[in-house]
């Protein structure tokens, strides 16, 4: 029996873990016998310590959970004592050093939601959406000391149609990852080690950690580019803008779609009579949404969230903001 330590933290990693746990009994030969995840963090208004999504699932399934602050000698001793054979990682959140990786005689693999070597790093899914790519994918690679530089063991492409959000694409990637890992773990259990992979080919590109400032909407961009940013930044940090100048109220744009250049024909003028400039709320279309002028085309907004308020659809929003048309968003 191949004894596996599963390392992961956020919801997509929990989805993959759940699917693997449901499959391990029928496959035999391998078992997820422990989970390595980040320590509980303070969440909500009460700042209550809450386990990660992976940690919560492991607790529900009665799987031992390890959540050290650091992967130091104490953590290595604790893990080593359990006699794990292999390490499977998906968005754990910490870097594995050579001493830690040496604990697993069968080796270790990592799930990365991109077509490596494209989009190495922390945010491959938002990057694919922001760049309006036609496809992305999921890669299972050997764990290497360099960031996402391992050999490729399995890879599957995902076609993109321009409507995906980071959340929906991560969920789909997590399901694909589980299917790829299932076959790989069966082969590994039979051979007692992970198979040899192939070296990554092509030029590598890297992604960066996303900040709140990255998600500030630039209304001079095209409607297509802004729509991609809104989809990429859900649900964290959330694409946002300001009402009434740079010191104004924060407004999150949660759902929107780009429309053609002529979408404001006959409605271009704001109440002042002046032509609408980028960022102007130019019209309210009861059938489509709130129309905002962009550098190219316009954005049809259908879900918004005012500062410290609940998210709402565009009709409910306009019921409480009847003078919103003509407002300049910055």
């Amino acid at each position: 029996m191949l004894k596996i330590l599963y390392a992961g933290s956020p919801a997509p990693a929990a989805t993959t873990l759940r699917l693997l746990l449901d499959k391990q009994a029928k496959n035999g030969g391998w078992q997820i016998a422990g989970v390595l995840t980040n320590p509980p963090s303070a969440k909500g208004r009460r700042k209550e310590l809450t386990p990660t999504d992976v940690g919560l699932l492991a607790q529900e399934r009665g799987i031992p959970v390890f959540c050290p602050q650091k992967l130091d000698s104490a953590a290595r001793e604790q893990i080593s004592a359990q006699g794990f054979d292999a390490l499977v990682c998906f968005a754990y959140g910490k870097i594995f050093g050579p001493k830690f990786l040496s604990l697993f005689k069968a080796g270790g693999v990592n799930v990365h939601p991109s077509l490596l070597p494209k989009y190495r790093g922390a945010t491959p899914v938002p990057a694919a959406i922001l760049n309006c790519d036609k496809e992305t994918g999921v890669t299972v690679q050997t764990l290497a000391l360099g960031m996402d530089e391992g050999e490729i063991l399995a890879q599957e492409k995902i076609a993109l149609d321009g409507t995906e959000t980071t959340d929906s694409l991560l969920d789909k990637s997590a399901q694909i990852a589980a299917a790829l890992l299932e076959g790989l773990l069966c082969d590994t259990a039979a051979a007692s080690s992970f198979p040899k992979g192939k070296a990554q080919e092509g030029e590598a590109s890297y992604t960066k950690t996303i900040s709140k400032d990255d998600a500030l909407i630039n209304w001079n961009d095209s409607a297509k580019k802004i729509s991609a940013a809104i989809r990429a930044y859900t649900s964290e940090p959330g694409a946002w803008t300001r009402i009434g100048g740079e010191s104004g109220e924060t407004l999150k744009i949660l759902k929107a779609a780009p429309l053609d250049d002529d979408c404001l024909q006959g409605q271009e003028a704001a109440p002042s009579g002046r032509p609408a400039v980028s960022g102007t709320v130019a019209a309210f279309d009861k059938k489509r949404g709130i129309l905002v002028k962009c550098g190219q085309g316009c954005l049809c907004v259908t879900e918004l969230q005012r500062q410290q308020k609940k998210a709402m659809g565009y009709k409910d929003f306009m019921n409480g903001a009847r003078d919103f048309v003509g407002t300049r968003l910055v």
Side-chain angles (χ1 to χ4, degrees), residues 106-253:
V109 297
N110 177 59
V111 173
H112 191 74
S114 82
L115 296 174
L116 288 172
K118 193 173 186 179
Y119 301 142
R120 290 175 178 173
T123 55
V125 170
I129 295 174
L130 285 169
N131 291 330
C132 298
D133 290 350
K134 297 299 183 182
E135 68 176 14
T136 187
V138 178
T139 302
V140 180
Q141 59 174 327
T142 58
L143 275 165
L145 298 181
M147 183 173 61
D148 298 324
E149 295 179 0
E151 295 181 339
I152 294 175
L153 298 174
Q155 196 171 66
E156 184 170 325
K157 293 181 178 180
I158 302 173
L160 303 179
D161 61 14
T163 63
E164 299 83 5
T165 66
T166 288
D167 290 345
S168 69
L169 189 48
L170 276 172
D171 183 67
K172 186 171 185 177
S173 298
Q175 296 179 49
I176 291 173
L180 294 177
L181 286 169
E182 180 185 9
L184 183 61
L185 291 175
C186 289
D187 292 343
T188 302
S192 299
S193 65
F194 287 107
K196 183 173 177 56
K198 66 176 182 177
Q200 297 182 28
E201 298 178 352
E203 184 177 354
S205 61
Y206 294 84
T207 63
K208 66 171 188 176
T209 302
I210 294 170
S211 69
K212 181 181 177 182
D213 288 343
D214 293 323
L216 174 62
I217 295 172
N218 181 356
W219 293 104
N220 290 318
D221 287 338
S222 68
K224 181 180 179 181
K225 186 174 181 179
I226 294 172
S227 172
I230 291 166
R231 292 184 289 108
Y233 295 134
T234 56
S235 53
E236 287 292 336
W240 62 284
T241 186
R242 300 185 186 93
I243 303 173
E246 293 187 1
S247 60
E249 176 189 0
T250 297
L251 176 70
K252 284 189 175 183
I253 308 296

